[in-house]
């Protein structure tokens, strides 16, 4: 037997199956994330809003009456209605190209930032509670109590600027923290559901503020019978950061600081880790030695202070001429939408607040210049929440693969491999 015959046979080298490309891996990673779902939810809501704008436009309705004779008129009317509406939204919220100067043209953007300020602050409070597994539905009450405390300090104390402003700011934050802490304490001590407690606290805060606004010596303006406070003194008002030409005040800077602090708290601090651990699995957190009840109380205190910042910015910045019982302007409930759209992440809440601030500012221009009902903007906001609450529906609408599910090409390759 020769040496060649006695040599062991060399095993065949298996063929290396080509893996997914780098770009495909990146797309898969993006498609499985929540940020894409939020973006597509906004796009889907805008598309549905466009359909509603077209259906309610009188020119489109007129052209649709003779669609089969001249279909181009109908499509032209649809394009004009939808394009004009969203162009007006842009002019009213970002930049007005019809303005005589850049300083005037950029004014809508500053209005967007002003409207976004309380939405960002309140959204942070709601989102922080979400991360700890709590539903903070008490944004309205926390805002009202914060505005009441800030307004009382502003109208009754006599301090120089900026001590007066800072004292009113701190008073508002403390009032919001106390009002949120009540819900956290009841949750921790008795197990009372925070949704029921915060909703009831909203009603208590609303009627308590109404009583204070109707009582001399508390919040009612001296010598007046109207349920409204006196104007805030200049020493307590949040100053306008871009000058008297714009209404953007220092509250926006405080909101940005709150975003940074909340991000650090959640992502870099030991307390934030405990919040997230309790939110993910309270039983496991309790087994690991974390006091779940204490975390519930602390997170609601901090969340109430953040929402309280929104109330202070409304009382001392947006409406320094005096406020009434509607000072919250529905922001406490809009903050829930902002937190959902931002996926309870501080950076996401920042951009979500800016988006809803743009909707609120530009919606008035849409109504004034194009005759689009302001309710259309509210419908778009509601649809955003609807689509965010149904990620599989959004992914199916845009053909985005569901997370954890193999793509069609991967399933074909798997079937071929099994058949071979």
């Amino acid at each position: 037997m020769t040496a060649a015959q006695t040599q062991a046979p060399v095993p065949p080298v298996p063929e290396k199956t080509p893996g997914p490309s780098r770009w495909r891996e990146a797309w898969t990673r993006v498609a499985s994330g929540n940020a894409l779902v939020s973006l597509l939810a906004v796009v889907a809501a805008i598309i549905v809003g466009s359909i509603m704008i077209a259906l309610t436009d009188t020119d489109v309705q007129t052209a649709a009456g003779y669609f089969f004779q001249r279909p181009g008129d109908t499509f032209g009317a649809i394009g004009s209605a939808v394009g004009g509406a969203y162009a007006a939204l842009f002019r009213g919220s970002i930049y007005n190209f019809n303005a005589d100067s850049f300083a005037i043209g950029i004014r809508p953007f500053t209005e967007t930032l002003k409207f976004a300020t309380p939405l960002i602050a309140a959204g942070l409070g709601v989102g922080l509670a979400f991360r700890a597994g709590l539903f903070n539905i008490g944004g309205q009450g926390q805002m009202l109590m914060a505005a009441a405390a800030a307004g009382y300090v502003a109208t009754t104390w006599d301090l120089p600027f900026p001590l007066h402003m800072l004292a009113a700011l701190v008073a508002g934050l403390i009032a919001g923290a106390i009002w949120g802490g009540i819900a956290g304490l009841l949750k921790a001590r008795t197990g009372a559901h925070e949704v029921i407690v915060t909703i009831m606290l909203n009603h208590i805060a609303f009627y308590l503020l109404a009583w204070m606004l109707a009582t001399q010596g508390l919040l009612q303006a001296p010598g007046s019978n109207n349920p409204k406070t006196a104007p805030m003194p200049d020493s307590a008002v949040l100053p306008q950061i871009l000058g008297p030409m714009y209404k953007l005040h220092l509250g926006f800077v405080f909101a940005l600081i709150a975003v940074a602090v909340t991000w650090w708290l959640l992502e870099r601090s030991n307390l934030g880790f405990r919040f997230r651990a309790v939110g993910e699995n309270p039983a496991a957190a309790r087994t690991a030695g974390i006091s779940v009840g204490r975390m519930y109380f602390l997170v609601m205190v901090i969340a109430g202070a953040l929402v309280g910042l929104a109330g202070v910015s409304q009382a001392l910045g947006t409406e320094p001429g005096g406020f009434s019982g509607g000072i919250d302007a529905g922001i406490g409930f809009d903050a829930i939408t902002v937190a959902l759209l931002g996926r309870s992440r501080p950076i996401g809440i920042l951009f979500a607040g800016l988006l809803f601030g743009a909707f609120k500012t530009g919606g008035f221009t849409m109504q004034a210049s194009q005759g689009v009902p302001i309710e259309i903007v509210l419908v778009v906001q509601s649809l955003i929440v609807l689509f965010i609450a149904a990620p599989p529906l959004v992914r199916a609408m845009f053909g985005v693969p569901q997370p954890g599910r193999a793509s069609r090409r991967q399933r074909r390759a798997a079937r071929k491999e099994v058949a071979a």
Side-chain angles (χ1 to χ4, degrees):
M1 183 179 294
T2 63
Q5 292 175 334
T6 59
Q7 188 176 4
V10 179
V13 179
E15 295 183 1
K16 186 177 180 180
T17 57
S21 65
R22 184 182 304 175
W23 293 105
R24 184 173 296 278
E25 290 180 356
W27 163 246
T28 303
R29 200 173 294 116
V30 170
S32 61
N34 292 325
L36 181 64
V37 174
S38 299
L39 178 62
L40 294 179
V42 175
V43 173
I46 290 177
I47 292 174
V48 177
S50 301
I51 297 174
M52 297 184 63
I53 291 172
L55 292 177
T56 56
D57 186 77
T58 55
D59 293 338
V60 174
Q61 295 172 356
T62 302
Y66 55 90
F67 174 79
F68 294 102
Q69 297 177 355
R70 286 187 294 176
D73 289 357
T74 304
F75 293 118
I78 292 174
S80 178
V82 175
Y86 286 117
L89 179 66
F90 183 86
R91 291 196 311 271
S93 60
I94 305 298
Y95 186 80
N96 185 7
F97 292 101
N98 299 328
D100 296 332
S101 64
F102 176 80
I104 299 177
I106 202 65
R107 186 181 296 170
F109 183 65
T110 63
E111 289 293 308
T112 294
L113 298 182
K114 184 194 73 173
F115 278 109
T117 296
L119 289 171
I120 294 170
L124 289 172
V126 176
L128 179 65
F130 281 167
R131 296 292 294 274
L134 297 178
F135 294 92
N136 183 14
I137 315 298
Q140 180 191 23
Q142 293 152 24
M143 280 189 65
L144 292 178
M145 289 296 96
Y152 179 81
V153 171
T155 55
T156 59
W157 291 17
D158 186 13
L159 293 172
F161 180 85
L163 293 180
H164 200 181
M165 181 198 71
L166 293 176
L169 172 65
V170 172
L173 296 182
I174 292 175
I178 292 174
W179 212 250
I182 293 174
L185 183 63
L186 292 175
K187 173 74 173 181
R189 294 287 185 177
T190 66
H193 202 288
E194 70 277 5
V195 173
I196 303 298
V197 174
T198 50
I199 290 177
M200 293 299 101
L201 286 173
N202 286 342
H203 289 279
I204 295 173
F206 178 80
Y207 291 108
L208 183 60
L209 178 62
W211 171 72
M212 288 188 286
L213 288 172
T215 304
Q216 287 287 335
L218 290 178
L219 285 178
Q220 190 176 44
S224 173
N225 293 324
N226 296 325
K228 186 177 180 180
T229 67
M232 304 295 118
D234 294 339
S235 58
V237 172
L238 296 173
Q240 296 170 345
I241 59 179
L242 297 178
M245 186 176 179
Y246 307 101
K247 297 180 181 180
L248 182 63
H249 50 77
L250 191 61
F252 180 69
V253 178
F254 289 147
L256 294 180
I257 295 174
V259 170
V261 171
T262 306
W263 177 87
W264 177 86
L265 174 66
L266 284 173
E267 306 298 336
R268 292 294 183 267
S269 71
N270 181 48
L271 182 61
F273 171 77
R274 292 171 181 267
F275 287 163
R276 290 185 284 114
V278 170
E280 292 290 336
N281 193 327
R286 188 178 291 109
T287 303
I290 299 176
S291 175
V292 176
R294 184 168 179 265
M295 293 303 106
Y296 283 156
F297 173 70
L298 289 178
V299 76
M300 287 302 296
V301 167
I302 300 174
L306 290 170
V307 179
L309 177 60
V312 173
S313 69
Q314 284 287 99
L316 303 182
T318 304
E319 299 184 19
F323 62 86
S324 59
I327 184 66
D328 67 292
I331 295 170
F333 292 102
D334 290 341
I336 301 173
T337 308
V338 172
L340 288 173
L341 181 59
R343 295 291 174 180
S344 300
R345 302 298 195 274
I347 304 300
I349 290 172
L350 171 62
F351 287 105
L354 293 175
L355 176 64
F356 276 77
F359 281 156
K360 189 177 290 289
T361 308
F364 299 114
T365 306
M366 289 175 61
Q367 185 180 31
S369 64
Q370 300 295 318
V372 177
I374 193 65
E375 289 78 14
I376 296 293
V377 178
L378 301 178
V379 169
V380 171
Q381 294 178 358
S382 303
L383 287 171
I384 289 175
V385 180
L386 174 65
F387 288 130
I388 287 178
L393 173 62
V394 176
R395 294 180 185 275
M397 290 172 59
F398 291 93
V400 178
Q402 303 289 344
R405 182 180 177 184
S407 64
R408 186 178 302 175
R409 178 177 297 182
Q410 291 172 336
R411 292 196 298 270
R412 279 202 305 264
R415 285 196 296 267
K416 289 181 180 179
E417 187 175 345
V418 171

